[in-house]
Amino acid sequence: MTTRATLRQQGEAMRQRLFGDDDGAPAFLRTINTEASYGAIWSRPGLAMEDRMICALAALAAVQRLPKLRRHVGAALRLGLAPRAIVEVLIQIGIYAGFAASEEAVEAAAAEFAVRQVPMPDEPERTDSLEALSERGRKLMEQLHGERARQGYAAPGNTVTGALYPLAMQYGYGEIWFRPGLDMRRRALVTVAAFTALKLDSQVQKFGQSALNMGLSKTEVIEAVIQTAPLSGFAPALNALGLLSAALGDSAKA
């Protein structure tokens, strides 16, 4: 039977694994953070530890918890995530929270890299034409969303959203999703975690379904949402899970 003592014990082991002696939490939050965050959530089955970290980085960057993000960048390096993978999570956040958020998140990561003497990844040259980005983005949208790729604000005949959506398709789907360093499966994790953190429920519902087309299981999608709870709020995570219960079905089986 799980008890608070059990959660505290496994939570302390997880905290040490991720952050060493100090995770930055003040003393008065140490016990509840150890039990609820590290013992009850970070220690859950159903999602690999590195993938949990991907979701944590996405949520923290989306809501701009920069000191906490920097600590998690250090923890991500301890887990063995490549610097480029870390940076790619933070760049992808720009689609959802704005490129200003990406800039500040990457600055926080760069500061932690510098302390650990980890070089920033080189920026790959990207020279594809806008036409190529549009075509690649359109194909990815169809792969992700199927018929839903042409509905709502993505509908081809919507002249209002059409003033912006082609740009989002080019640079979101056509450019950022195809950058090296993060595969499509993990990019799907980033979207689910970021939309949950940003309280964008309709997008969580849409991408929660679409993430299955990128190789995630139902369990992994649900766990990606749960992972955000101690970082960006239990209420947004529960709202997202409520929508996913209908979109994915009540069962969490793969």
Side-chain angles (χ1 to χ4, degrees):
M1 183 179 69
T2 300
T3 65
R4 292 190 68 176
T6 303
L7 290 176
R8 194 174 304 175
Q9 183 179 26
Q10 66 187 24
E12 182 62 26
M14 180 62 69
R15 188 184 66 78
Q16 286 283 341
R17 177 182 177 185
L18 293 171
F19 301 103
D21 293 330
D22 183 15
D23 67 343
F28 63 87
L29 283 176
R30 179 75 174 264
T31 297
I32 192 169
N33 207 33
T34 298
E35 292 178 17
S37 296
Y38 305 128
I41 291 181
W42 277 90
S43 301
R44 287 174 60 89
L47 190 63
M49 184 60 56
E50 294 83 358
D51 290 340
R52 288 193 180 277
M53 182 58 71
I54 292 287
C55 295
L57 294 172
L60 289 168
V63 296
Q64 291 287 276
R65 300 291 189 266
L66 297 179
K68 197 72 172 175
L69 172 64
R70 178 171 171 177
R71 294 189 192 98
H72 279 70
V73 167
L77 292 170
R78 287 170 67 103
L79 285 177
L81 279 178
R84 178 168 295 285
I86 295 170
V87 171
E88 287 302 319
V89 172
L90 308 182
I91 290 174
Q92 186 175 337
I93 288 301
I95 311 172
Y96 319 124
F99 290 124
S102 285
E103 289 176 17
E104 296 192 16
V106 170
E107 286 176 5
E112 187 63 23
F113 287 173
V115 167
R116 295 172 179 267
Q117 298 184 321
V118 173
M120 282 288 290
D122 294 332
E123 176 58 22
E125 186 177 9
R126 310 290 288 178
T127 58
D128 296 315
S129 68
L130 289 176
E131 291 77 16
L133 297 186
S134 294
E135 179 63 15
R136 195 161 61 196
R138 182 187 61 78
K139 289 181 178 178
L140 177 59
M141 283 176 60
E142 292 179 354
Q143 182 184 356
L144 270 167
H145 307 307
E147 292 183 0
R148 292 176 296 121
R150 296 177 293 277
Q151 298 173 357
Y153 56 68
N158 192 325
T159 58
V160 176
T161 60
L164 176 62
Y165 196 73
L167 189 64
M169 182 173 64
Q170 288 170 333
Y171 284 97
Y173 291 102
E175 173 68 7
I176 290 179
W177 272 70
F178 284 89
R179 287 174 57 90
L182 207 61
D183 62 23
M184 294 293 183
R185 178 185 169 279
R186 281 186 165 170
R187 289 198 180 276
L189 283 173
V190 172
T191 63
V192 172
F195 284 142
T196 300
L198 291 168
K199 306 176 187 178
L200 297 174
D201 291 342
S202 63
Q203 283 86 351
V204 173
Q205 187 175 29
K206 179 179 180 179
F207 276 88
Q209 294 173 274
S210 299
L212 303 180
N213 296 327
M214 294 293 105
L216 292 172
S217 68
K218 291 182 181 181
T219 298
E220 289 173 323
V221 172
I222 291 166
E223 289 299 322
V225 172
I226 292 172
Q227 183 64 28
T228 69
L231 303 168
S232 52
F234 278 72
L238 285 168
N239 286 344
L241 290 173
L243 290 170
L244 289 178
S245 67
L248 301 179
D250 292 335
S251 173
K253 293 181 180 178

